[in-house]
Amino acid sequence: MSYSRVVGAVEIGTSKVAVLLGEIVGESGLNIIGHSACSSKGIKKGVITDLNVASDCVHAAILAAEKNAQTRIDEVYLAQTGSHLIGNFNVGTTNVSSPDGIIRSIDIESAKADAKRRKLPQSRTYIHHIQNPFSVDDRQVENPLSKEGRRLQVGYWSVHGDSDIVSDSLRVIRGIDLDVSDMIISSIASGAVLLQESEKENGALVIDMGGGTTDYVLYRKGYIVKTGVVPVGGDHITNDLSIGLRVGRKSAEDFKVKNGRAYYSSEDREEKVWMIGDLTIGDREYPMAAITKIIEARVSEVFDIIKLQLEEAELLEPSEIASGIVLTGGGARLNGIDEAAKRSIGLEARVSEGSTDVAEELRQPEYSTVLGLLHYALTGQEESAKTAKPSGLFRRIGSLLNLD
Amino acid sequence: MSLDTQNLFSQETASNHLKIKIIGVGGAGTNAVDGLKLDDLGDVRLAAINTDAQALGNSPIAEKLLIGRSVTRGLGAGGEIEIGKAAAESDRDSIARLIADTDLIILIVGLGGGTGSAAVSVVAEVAAKTEALVLAFATLPFSFEGARRKRIAEESIGELRQLVHGLIPLPNDVLLQEGEEDTSVLNAFAVADRWIGRGVNSLCSMLLKTGLINQDFGSLRSVFHDRGGKTIFGTGMASGPDYVKNALDDLFLCPLLHMGDRPAQLDRIIVNVIGGADLGISKVNEIMSLVSKRFGSREDIVFGAVIDEGRHESLEICILGKADMEGKPAKAPEKSVKAVQQSTVEGGLGLETEIAQENKAPRPVHSSKLSKKKAAEIEANQDEFTFIYNDAQRGYFEKTDRNEYNGEDLDVPTFMRRGIKIKIK
């Protein structure tokens, strides 16, 4: 019998907690054996605001998934999001040590260490160091080992988060006696399953609009060159509608789901929609234009912020992002979201249909992050077996897990 | 402080008349007072305080006070808060004379500029030393006017709130939502002025006119018995056959009375209705019960109803309410303050404040981060004023940290920050 372990992929999202159980068999087999999702409590904008309440609902979701799969989880892969996540691009440089100019592994290690040398204040914790290409004397190379040159450089996109917020999420998992093997930021997890290798090569921007945050990851030439979190999500659309239309949260949510569109169109001026719509006494009509104008303002702002961040990093060149924008997360269900993204960012956009490798019910945009976590639980293993594949290096931060 | 002898004498003769003074501070405040159209209320006195001699000269207001002549030579503060402050400080005595011998002072100010934002606190400080009840209507700049004006306004409102009995913040972002369809940002100041006008007029009519249900100054004072706390103001009006229902609808849709998810919940409310002779007591009762159901419990509400003979099938409802800061769970009528004393001027003190202080709002459990942040960055005072500045606009996110991005709070609806008008009627 081959070795197998059960991995729980957990995303503590603003609107729901999603858990996916995968059985990893041997080195490359993955069976999805259980899943559950339940409404979140005690979480706003991707950050736990009430530890007890949040713990209860995460534990309930984990237990439900275990029951669904009729097995116990061995280890947890946890998604991270929230505006506390900040990324920097750091370049490590080393002079080739051997007199003959042949690069040895010690030089590679030294360049990598140099890139990661930047110390963070106590309150911040690294979550990822994502490796970008090496270059030898300013020429890009895939694998510098045994190449000849004088100066070796390597870039890393490093993401760090607020230590307290990160440890709160780890505490929640430890509260049910499980260990977190790795943390992966939501955007990277989603991107991993939604993009084909060829799309990563051509360049693609994955935007995952959740309940409280919008996470994005930009791939260029197969590498993750930037990630980001805009602390605005579907909850903001609902809140804007609630304030703008002066209706309760529930009605605002209904308007968003039933009538919402991500952009305003001149036909909306004539159209009216009922709040309840079943001839209930007290029901009233609202102008469609009010709904779409409120949503358009919010959605375009989110895309404008992403655009600005990419422009500031000088990464927004349409020719380098030929596969365009791929939208996922609950926000991707909003009618016209692709058109709105295209108008704001100026790249072709499509709504992801989900990974075709999984069952129909798991293709919903809400599951893409947890699927990505399982993907990493599987490939992380492969990567350590093979020699340094450049697409990602996800190392857990030991000190963080030894919290009391 | 030197009171001139004339004032001392006049105090004796007019002691049984309610003395109301409405004071516009700074350019925007003066303009608002200029434009006030009060329903035949002889006893209300209007005044203006400004650093700009020319603007004051153009104002038709009877009582004008130019402050800081030595500082600005009468040329205005030029948006500089320091100059505004120095100007007001240099004329404390004249300000004291202007506000002396008054029972109710209503300050009107547009925050964000140099004179109004700085001088209003000085005026409020001087007023706080008198016996007068002080209310302030303060408009807040549009988000797109920039972070600087917004910051000035926030600082000013934080100071002001501690000094007056009732501070009514009127965010221009929100008011724009309520204007006529063609409201452009350019005449948004006129919108704000109209709102202030309706509030001031309703307040003064209630106090000075006789009506179906009379409310005197004592009732007002009991609602605003202490300084600080959060004041909420809103109006609704309608005319035509279905005027009662429509005015209530208008009131309930008033953007100033909404905190997103739910109507504002208040500890003490004063409601005044102005209607024509056709407004009978049964209609007033209907309005009273619907309003109390919406905003609090019946015991917490003081009602006034004024008949204006000139009206027919026309109704205006104005509500002013006070919520004690930090003191109130979202909805708990059984704990809220008991019936407001109606006749005594000092009525309702003591007990109510104690109750309010006991009901501390629950702190967020996620203490690790928040508590640290509180201690380090946010002083309690500042925390309170960001609350007041934003609460009407943040809704669901009211209790979370501000979502700062390039000087804007992303939790506030984008359409409001961008000045996009949403028509829902």
Side-chain angles (χ1 to χ4, degrees):
Chain A
M1 197 181 128
S2 68
Y3 166 76
S4 85
R5 61 194 170 112
V6 177
V7 174
V10 181
E11 183 191 25
I12 306 173
T14 309
S15 59
K16 57 135 196 31
V17 176
V19 179
L20 207 55
L21 256 59
E23 185 186 26
I24 295 184
V25 186
E27 297 236 316
S28 59
L30 169 68
N31 300 317
I32 292 170
I33 55 175
H35 66 91
S36 75
C38 65
S39 297
S40 296
K41 291 190 184 69
I43 296 147
K44 282 187 179 173
K45 287 173 271 179
V47 172
I48 294 168
T49 51
D50 185 330
L51 199 57
N52 293 333
V53 173
S55 289
D56 287 349
C57 82
V58 172
H59 295 171
I62 289 176
L63 292 173
E66 286 187 333
K67 197 174 171 203
N68 181 248
Q70 299 198 315
T71 183
R72 295 294 312 270
I73 294 174
D74 296 318
E75 54 180 330
V76 167
Y77 276 63
L78 182 64
Q80 289 290 343
T81 183
S83 58
H84 65 101
L85 299 177
I86 296 172
N88 305 103
F89 196 79
N90 297 314
V91 176
T93 305
T94 191
N95 292 319
V96 177
S97 55
S98 104
D100 59 8
I102 303 295
I103 294 163
R104 294 179 297 160
S105 54
I106 187 172
D107 301 316
I108 297 175
E109 289 313 313
S110 148
K112 284 180 175 177
D114 187 47
K116 296 180 203 166
R117 74 187 179 283
R118 220 182 101 181
K119 286 275 176 290
L120 294 175
Q122 190 84 55
S123 60
R124 309 288 303 174
T125 305
Y126 277 117
I127 295 175
H128 293 302
H129 290 292
I130 302 158
Q131 196 188 302
N132 273 239
F134 287 97
S135 66
V136 178
D137 298 338
D138 297 324
R139 274 176 297 112
Q140 192 172 318
V141 293
E142 274 294 313
N143 187 355
L145 193 66
S146 308
K147 298 254 178 358
E148 200 183 325
R150 288 202 308 224
R151 199 171 60 134
L152 174 66
Q153 285 186 304
V154 64
Y156 275 89
W157 177 252
S158 297
V159 180
H160 48 92
D162 183 298
S163 307
D164 290 333
I165 295 176
V166 171
S167 53
D168 275 349
S169 69
L170 294 177
R171 238 184 232 124
V172 167
I173 304 298
R174 295 188 96 215
I176 196 168
D177 242 355
L178 283 169
D179 277 326
V180 176
S181 298
D182 212 342
M183 295 180 289
I184 292 159
I185 62 172
S186 303
S187 56
I188 292 181
S190 304
V193 287
L194 296 177
L195 295 179
Q196 308 290 331
E197 285 306 319
S198 61
E199 292 174 312
K200 293 179 188 170
E201 278 302 322
N202 295 336
L205 174 64
V206 177
I207 301 178
D208 179 342
M209 185 181 265
T213 61
T214 300
D215 299 51
Y216 67 88
V217 56
L218 177 66
Y219 281 88
R220 280 175 54 160
K221 296 198 164 68
Y223 292 93
I224 292 169
V225 293
K226 188 166 172 55
T227 59
V229 180
V230 182
V232 172
D235 283 353
H236 288 83
I237 301 178
T238 306
N239 191 47
D240 293 0
L241 287 169
S242 165
I243 291 173
L245 305 176
R246 269 89 98 199
V247 298
R249 223 178 138 63
K250 170 80 177 62
S251 306
E253 181 74 24
D254 288 349
F255 275 130
K256 179 178 80 174
V257 173
K258 277 195 304 202
N259 313 103
R261 189 183 333 102
Y263 58 90
Y264 165 76
S265 135
S266 55
E267 297 132 44
D268 299 343
R269 267 186 302 213
E270 304 304 320
E271 204 185 331
K272 296 219 170 210
V273 292
W274 289 95
M275 180 160 73
I276 308 168
D278 60 354
L279 304 176
T280 307
I281 293 169
D283 199 1
R284 55 168 282 172
E285 278 187 316
Y286 287 82
M288 184 68 174
I291 297 170
T292 53
K293 276 184 177 173
I294 290 170
I295 301 178
E296 180 183 70
R298 176 59 81 178
V299 168
S300 65
E301 180 179 46
V302 172
F303 291 141
D304 288 345
I305 289 174
I306 294 174
K307 183 187 185 195
L308 193 71
Q309 291 183 353
L310 296 180
E311 278 173 349
E312 279 171 356
E314 295 180 9
L315 290 168
L316 190 63
E317 294 156 69
S319 61
E320 295 289 315
I321 314 172
S323 293
I325 301 166
V326 177
L327 294 150
T328 186
R333 292 172 182 278
L334 183 66
N335 189 2
I337 189 95
D338 42 357
E339 177 62 25
K342 184 181 165 184
R343 287 184 191 180
S344 289
I345 305 178
L347 297 171
E348 286 302 318
R350 66 180 170 90
V351 174
S352 169
E353 282 155 16
S355 169
T356 48
D357 304 336
V358 296
E360 189 76 41
E361 56 184 318
L362 297 178
R363 284 180 206 167
Q364 309 289 346
E366 285 87 346
Y367 280 107
S368 55
T369 301
V370 276
L371 276 171
L373 292 175
L374 284 187
H375 171 89
Y376 275 106
L378 182 68
T379 57
Q381 213 177 14
E382 274 175 32
E383 273 167 33
S384 58
K386 288 197 268 167
T387 45
K389 200 189 165 203
S391 67
L393 182 103
F394 304 101
R395 185 160 297 160
R396 70 171 172 170
I397 294 84
S399 64
L400 256 182
L401 296 165
N402 299 324
L403 292 157
D404 18 8
Chain B
M1 198 193 295
S2 68
L3 282 172
D4 60 4
T5 40
Q6 248 179 347
N7 262 342
L8 281 173
F9 285 116
S10 63
Q11 218 163 12
E12 287 168 22
T13 52
S15 59
N16 54 351
H17 282 289
L18 182 63
K19 289 178 286 274
I20 302 177
K21 191 168 254 184
I22 301 171
I23 306 171
V25 184
T30 304
N31 282 341
V33 175
D34 283 352
L36 280 181
K37 289 186 184 64
L38 299 178
D39 296 351
D40 181 29
L41 302 165
D43 292 347
V44 179
R45 287 176 292 164
L46 305 181
I49 299 175
N50 204 349
T51 51
D52 184 336
Q54 201 183 347
L56 268 187
N58 293 337
S59 161
I61 298 168
E63 225 175 324
K64 294 183 257 196
L65 175 61
L66 178 68
I67 50 167
R69 190 190 290 278
S70 57
V71 185
T72 71
R73 287 179 294 136
L75 297 174
E80 293 300 324
I81 192 98
E82 291 308 322
I83 295 178
K85 195 113 212 160
E89 292 292 354
S90 73
D91 275 305
R92 260 177 192 270
D93 290 349
S94 330
I95 293 170
R97 276 194 296 275
L98 183 78
I99 62 173
D101 186 29
T102 310
D103 300 303
L104 171 63
I105 298 172
I106 301 176
L107 299 174
I108 300 178
V109 63
L111 297 180
T115 303
S117 313
V120 74
S121 320
V122 177
V123 177
E125 228 174 84
V126 175
K129 294 195 181 114
T130 71
E131 291 294 302
L133 181 71
V134 186
L135 303 179
F137 288 85
T139 60
L140 307 177
F142 284 104
S143 292
F144 56 73
E145 285 180 69
R148 184 172 179 272
R149 286 181 70 84
K150 192 175 161 190
R151 199 186 58 244
I152 289 176
E154 285 185 354
E155 276 166 20
S156 177
I157 215 162
E159 262 177 49
L160 196 55
R161 199 173 60 71
Q162 309 298 333
L163 296 168
V164 301
H165 298 89
L167 170 63
I168 298 135
L170 301 162
N172 272 327
D173 286 347
V174 177
L175 294 188
L176 180 72
Q177 294 303 321
E178 189 61 7
E180 299 304 313
E181 197 182 348
D182 60 349
T183 305
S184 72
V185 170
L186 290 175
N187 58 23
F189 286 114
V191 176
D193 292 353
R194 227 167 28 236
W195 273 83
I196 294 169
R198 279 162 75 176
V200 170
N201 186 49
S202 192
L203 208 59
C204 296
S205 319
M206 179 179 75
L207 296 173
L208 299 172
K209 284 189 163 181
T210 48
L212 278 176
I213 304 173
N214 285 318
Q215 288 301 341
D216 61 10
F217 186 54
S219 324
L220 184 68
R221 207 182 251 286
S222 62
V223 169
F224 292 99
H225 60 68
D226 52 3
R227 294 187 172 85
K230 182 170 60 166
T231 304
I232 282 175
F233 156 72
T235 72
M237 58 199 294
S239 48
D242 226 357
Y243 66 94
V244 172
K245 183 184 172 297
N246 291 339
L248 281 167
D249 274 354
D250 194 44
L251 178 75
F252 294 162
L253 286 175
C254 173
L256 289 172
L257 296 174
H258 259 265
M259 329 247 304
D261 211 7
R262 58 197 149 82
Q265 290 297 311
L266 303 165
D267 288 300
R268 296 175 300 280
I269 309 177
I270 193 155
V271 180
N272 189 53
V273 297
I274 306 176
D278 51 334
L279 182 76
I281 195 79
S282 68
K283 286 202 177 88
V284 172
N285 266 326
E286 185 190 337
I287 296 165
M288 280 161 67
S289 82
L290 284 167
V291 170
S292 15
K293 214 157 86 187
R294 182 87 170 188
F295 296 106
S297 62
R298 188 73 175 246
E299 302 88 79
D300 308 327
I301 297 187
V302 172
F303 271 99
V306 176
I307 299 301
D308 173 359
E309 297 293 343
R311 286 173 189 262
H312 178 70
E313 289 196 342
S314 157
L315 179 67
E316 185 165 339
I317 311 169
C318 174
I319 97 168
L320 258 178
K322 188 99 186 252
D324 297 314
M325 193 63 70
E326 280 285 276
K328 197 174 183 301
K331 213 172 187 173
E334 73 277 8
K335 278 190 185 170
S336 58
V337 185
K338 283 279 166 268
V340 185
Q341 312 286 318
Q342 294 209 355
S343 49
T344 54
V345 171
E346 273 90 20
L349 269 172
L351 178 69
E352 297 167 15
T353 15
E354 272 171 38
I355 294 174
Q357 277 161 0
E358 268 170 26
N359 301 338
K360 289 283 178 208
R363 281 262 152 232
V365 177
H366 179 63
S367 54
S368 52
K369 178 167 164 60
L370 292 180
S371 58
K372 229 187 274 172
K373 204 165 185 181
K374 285 258 155 57
E377 296 171 22
I378 310 171
E379 289 171 15
N381 178 23
Q382 189 184 4
D383 198 34
E384 283 175 8
F385 80 67
T386 53
F387 175 47
I388 217 172
Y389 190 80
N390 273 322
D391 55 8
Q393 301 164 67
R394 304 186 88 224
Y396 177 66
F397 301 106
E398 187 192 328
K399 296 265 157 40
T400 65
D401 286 354
R402 294 180 82 168
N403 207 341
E404 254 349 295
Y405 185 83
N406 281 351
E408 293 185 59
D409 182 351
L410 294 182
D411 289 344
V412 174
T414 317
F415 72 89
M416 271 189 188
R417 283 181 280 119
R418 297 280 174 277
I420 298 169
K421 186 168 159 50
I422 304 299
K423 191 173 157 275
I424 59 168
K425 282 175 249 184

